[in-house]
Amino acid sequence: MAKLNWGMVGGGEGSQIGPAHRLGAGLDGEFAFVAGALDHRPEQGRDYGQRLGLDADRAYGSWQDMLAGEKDRPDRVDLVTVATPNATHFEITRAFLENGFHVLCEKPMTMTVAEGEELVHLANHTGRICAVNYGYSGYSLVRHMRAMVARGDIGKVRVVVAEFAHGHHADATDADNPRVRWRYDPAQAGVSAQFADCGIHAMHMASFVTGQEVERLSADIVSGIPVRTLEDDAMVNFRMDGGAVGRLWTSSIAIGRQHGLAIQVFGETGGLRWSQEQPNQLYYMPLGQRLQVIERGEGNLSPEADRTSRVTVGHAEGMPLAFGNIYADLAEAIRARKDGRTMDPAANLYPRAEDGLRSMAAVFAVAESGKADGVWVDARPPMFR
C-alpha cells in the first residue's frame, strides 16, 4: 500500500513541537514526509528541510511557496500539518483548506471565535478534514477511559476534575525573558495565557472522555507574577450538556509540578483517574469494590485501546506515540475517503475543527468571567447555541 504524502508548515530546527510531529507521522509508515516550509526565515527553512531529506524543490521558503508549489502537483501532499506561531494558524489553515488539502492544525486553532466558526464552515463546505492537535487524546488509556465511560462502566457521570499545572514560569526574575514574556502579552497571545496554552487541553480531555460538551463556566483567574497582563493561574468551574459538573485547574506557577496533565471522572457506580506523567496506568474504582489498576498493553481492553497500544505491557509509551495515534486516525480517515468506505470506528477519534472552535469559545468565556469576578457565562460558540 502506497504511503500518503505529508507536508509540514513550521516545526523547524529547534522547535519544541516539530520533532514530535515528525516522529508521530512516520510511526506507522502511513505517511511519507515529502514537503515542508519549516521556518519563517526562507534560507534556514530550505536548508533544514533538505537536511531532513526533502527534495530541494519541495523544501520551501514560505508557506505561500509551499501552497503554490503543491496545489497542482499530481503527487501533492495529502495532509498538511500547521505548527507555526498561534496567530498564523487561521490564515494558513484556511488557505490550504480552500485549495483542497486536509489539514492538522496545532492548537489553538484560531485566535478568535469568528475565525473558528469560519474554519468549521469551510471544512464542511470543502469536505476536507480540518483536525486540531489535541495530541494527549491519542494516549491508549485515555481512549480506554472514554470507552469505559461510553459503555456505562461507571454509570452516569457526576463530576469530572481536570488539571494541567506546571511551574516552569514561576520565577519572577525570568518574567522578562522573551521566550516567556510573549505568552503573557495580549498583542501576541490574545485574551488568555495559561488557560489558552494548557487549560484548553484539560478541558478538551474532559469532553473527550465524558462525551459531553461544556455549556457554561465560571472562572477565577490571577497573575501570580503581578507584572503579567494575562493570567498564569486559573480555576474554572463548568457545567456540561449531559449533566456533569466540571472542575479545572491550570497553572504555570505551580513550583514542583513538571507537566501536570491529569483527569478524574466520577460516576454513579465508579471512578477513573489517569495522569499523563504515568500514562501506562488507569485507576478504576468500582462502587463498593477494591481499586483496580488497568495496565496499558493488556489484551482485550477495548477496540480503541487495543488499536492504539504500540509496545508490550510494562514498557512506557510517550507523547510522540500519542501523536502517532492521531496521525493513524487521520491516515485511516483519508484512506477511507479515497476508497469510498466507512472508516474504522475505533479510529474515528481525531479532534475536529469543532473541538478547536469550542476551545476558543471557552478561552473567551474564561477571560470574560475572570474579569467579572467569576460570573457564569455561556461557553458555547454562537453557532452551537
Side-chain angles (χ1 to χ4, degrees):
M1 182 168 57
K3 292 184 178 182
L4 298 167
N5 288 332
W6 174 62
M8 190 173 194
V9 180
E13 192 165 18
S15 163
Q16 177 183 359
I17 205 69
H21 276 286
R22 288 187 285 274
L23 287 167
L27 187 63
D28 294 305
E30 292 279 7
F31 290 99
F33 181 34
V34 299
L38 304 179
D39 200 298
H40 68 281
R41 300 162 297 180
E43 287 305 317
Q44 286 90 333
R46 283 191 285 261
D47 174 70
Y48 188 52
Q50 290 178 69
R51 283 191 278 127
L52 290 176
L54 298 182
D55 291 340
D57 66 334
R58 300 183 85 173
Y60 298 99
S62 69
W63 70 263
Q64 294 93 336
D65 290 344
M66 179 172 163
L67 177 60
E70 291 292 316
K71 66 180 182 179
D72 295 323
R73 290 183 68 111
D75 61 345
R76 74 184 208 161
V77 294
D78 295 288
L79 175 69
V80 177
T81 291
V82 178
T84 55
N86 297 354
T88 66
H89 290 175
F90 170 68
E91 179 185 18
I92 300 171
T93 298
R94 179 179 62 181
F96 278 94
L97 286 174
E98 286 175 338
N99 283 275
F101 293 89
H102 301 299
V103 178
L104 170 61
C105 182
E106 263 300 331
K107 64 86 203 166
M109 182 177 72
T110 61
M111 295 293 284
T112 70
V113 176
E115 290 174 348
E117 292 195 337
E118 183 174 341
L119 290 186
V120 170
H121 287 304
L122 183 58
N124 291 335
H125 175 72
T126 61
R128 300 292 90 182
I129 292 169
C130 182
V132 184
N133 190 42
Y134 291 107
Y136 304 112
S137 65
Y139 277 95
S140 178
L141 287 182
V142 170
R143 295 190 169 194
H144 186 59
M145 198 176 188
R146 173 190 170 101
M148 291 181 70
V149 171
R151 69 193 186 195
D153 289 6
I154 64 169
K156 181 178 174 62
V157 175
R158 292 169 171 163
V159 179
V160 56
V161 179
E163 295 184 359
F164 199 154
H166 65 83
H168 301 302
H169 299 162
D171 186 352
T173 65
D174 199 39
D176 203 42
N177 181 337
R179 294 177 65 87
V180 175
R181 186 181 62 232
W182 75 268
R183 298 176 182 274
Y184 303 93
D185 178 4
Q188 299 180 72
V191 299
S192 171
Q194 179 59 20
F195 184 80
D197 186 29
C198 295
I200 57 174
H201 275 298
M203 186 165 281
H204 175 264
M205 188 77 79
S207 290
F208 181 80
V209 168
T210 64
Q212 300 184 35
E213 301 295 347
V214 176
E215 286 193 325
R216 57 196 182 97
L217 60 79
S218 168
D220 180 22
I221 59 176
V222 298
S223 297
I225 295 179
V227 296
R228 290 174 174 163
T229 304
L230 299 176
E231 87 287 348
D232 51 25
D233 188 281
M235 179 65 76
V236 183
N237 293 313
F238 56 92
R239 300 290 188 271
M240 307 185 85
D241 58 9
V245 173
R247 318 291 189 202
L248 187 155
W249 173 50
T250 186
S251 182
S252 64
I253 56 171
I255 297 173
R257 289 291 191 99
Q258 294 303 321
H259 196 255
L261 175 61
I263 184 166
Q264 302 175 81
V265 182
F266 305 104
E268 294 172 328
T269 61
L272 296 162
R273 59 183 171 92
W274 178 87
S275 170
Q276 191 256 340
E277 291 183 23
Q278 291 83 37
N280 272 14
Q281 289 80 38
L282 172 63
Y283 295 89
Y284 171 40
M285 174 68 84
L287 181 66
Q289 300 181 41
R290 291 183 175 179
L291 178 68
Q292 300 178 23
V293 181
I294 299 170
E295 293 281 348
R296 192 225 32 90
E298 293 178 355
N300 302 312
L301 290 182
S302 63
E304 295 87 346
D306 293 343
R307 180 181 179 275
T308 52
S309 185
R310 304 312 187 103
V311 297
T312 54
V313 65
H315 298 283
E317 289 189 1
M319 185 184 75
L321 278 77
F323 279 30
N325 289 330
I326 301 292
Y327 278 99
D329 294 345
L330 291 169
E332 168 63 10
I334 293 169
R335 291 192 188 281
R337 292 180 182 220
K338 286 176 177 284
D339 299 340
R341 59 175 174 82
T342 302
M343 71 177 295
D344 179 354
N348 195 14
L349 297 176
Y350 62 88
R352 268 74 166 174
E354 289 83 355
D355 298 302
L357 169 60
R358 289 184 185 277
S359 291
M360 187 48 55
V363 166
F364 277 83
V366 165
E368 177 186 349
S369 176
K371 290 178 180 177
D373 292 328
V375 65
W376 283 86
V377 299
D378 197 324
R380 298 169 297 177
M383 69 181 293
F384 293 152
R385 295 180 184 178

